[in-house]
Amino acid sequence: MNENNKTKKIVVAAMLAALTCVATMIIKIPSPLKGYLNLGDCVVLLAGWMLSPGYGFLAAGLGSALADIFSGYLLYAPATFVIKGLMAIIAYYVYEILYKKVKNSISRIVSGILAETVMVLGYFLFEGVLYGFGPSVVNIPANTVQGIAGLILGCVLARIFYRMFRKM
């Protein structure tokens, strides 16, 4: 990889990490078990679709974990780092596999659904350990709504970002 290309990837990853943090913090709707609904998932998916797995993991994980830290959810930050990073990796690999066989939009939708499923299950497991698995069930619908919103907005943003970065 040439130095210019590596620099561009680092800049885009840093921009997506910052955007993830801001999107996560802008609208926070408290959920029943001390978490909150947010719009950061759309950028997490975008990081997975636009970047390589390593850069996507770091952009999604760091941006989301920083939002937790800045918002007073320090306890959630390590789990968020892993869960959101895994979302980006899943979005990347499933998109890459499906893109060879089906249309671009279908690849994004399926990869996004799988990534968001990991988010819902990841927080269910994390909160299950913290608060018990019975009480943690209450956040599944809220996290599912967040995932659906993230997928829809992520697909819209993907079209905009691909047009922007194609011209660079």
Side-chain angles (χ1 to χ4, degrees):
M1 164 186 338
N2 71 33
E3 200 61 37
N4 194 19
N5 193 23
K6 185 175 180 181
T7 301
K8 182 179 173 183
K9 284 182 180 184
I10 291 170
V11 169
V12 172
M15 179 197 66
L16 288 174
L19 200 55
T20 300
C21 185
V22 170
T24 302
M25 293 179 69
I26 271 186
I27 296 175
K28 290 187 295 193
I29 303 165
S31 61
L33 278 183
K34 298 184 176 127
Y36 58 96
L37 295 167
N38 62 77
L39 297 177
D41 282 9
C42 63
V43 188
V44 167
L45 292 174
L46 195 61
W49 294 327
M50 287 184 64
L51 300 169
S52 64
Y55 285 103
F57 181 95
L58 289 173
L62 282 174
S64 299
L66 285 172
D68 278 352
I69 292 166
F70 296 151
S71 299
Y73 293 90
L74 186 61
L75 181 62
Y76 276 73
T80 293
F81 176 77
V82 172
I83 292 166
K84 301 298 182 165
L86 288 174
M87 285 176 64
I89 287 176
I90 289 165
Y92 173 85
Y93 282 114
V94 174
Y95 177 82
E96 289 295 315
I97 291 166
L98 291 178
Y99 184 74
K100 297 171 187 167
K101 300 174 184 169
V102 295
K103 291 184 180 179
N104 201 15
S105 296
I106 294 170
S107 300
R108 280 197 193 112
I109 291 168
V110 172
S111 66
I113 289 170
L114 291 173
E116 294 294 354
T117 300
V118 165
M119 182 268 294
V120 172
L121 291 174
Y123 282 115
F124 171 73
L125 292 172
F126 176 70
E127 292 170 342
V129 169
L130 285 180
Y131 311 115
F133 289 97
S136 69
V137 168
V138 75
N139 272 351
I140 290 175
N143 285 333
T144 301
V145 169
Q146 175 178 307
I148 292 168
L151 177 58
I152 293 167
L153 289 171
C155 287
V156 171
L157 285 177
R159 296 184 136 220
I160 294 167
F161 273 64
Y162 277 112
R163 285 187 193 137
M164 268 183 4
F165 287 103
R166 202 177 321 134
K167 294 178 183 179
M168 286 176 54

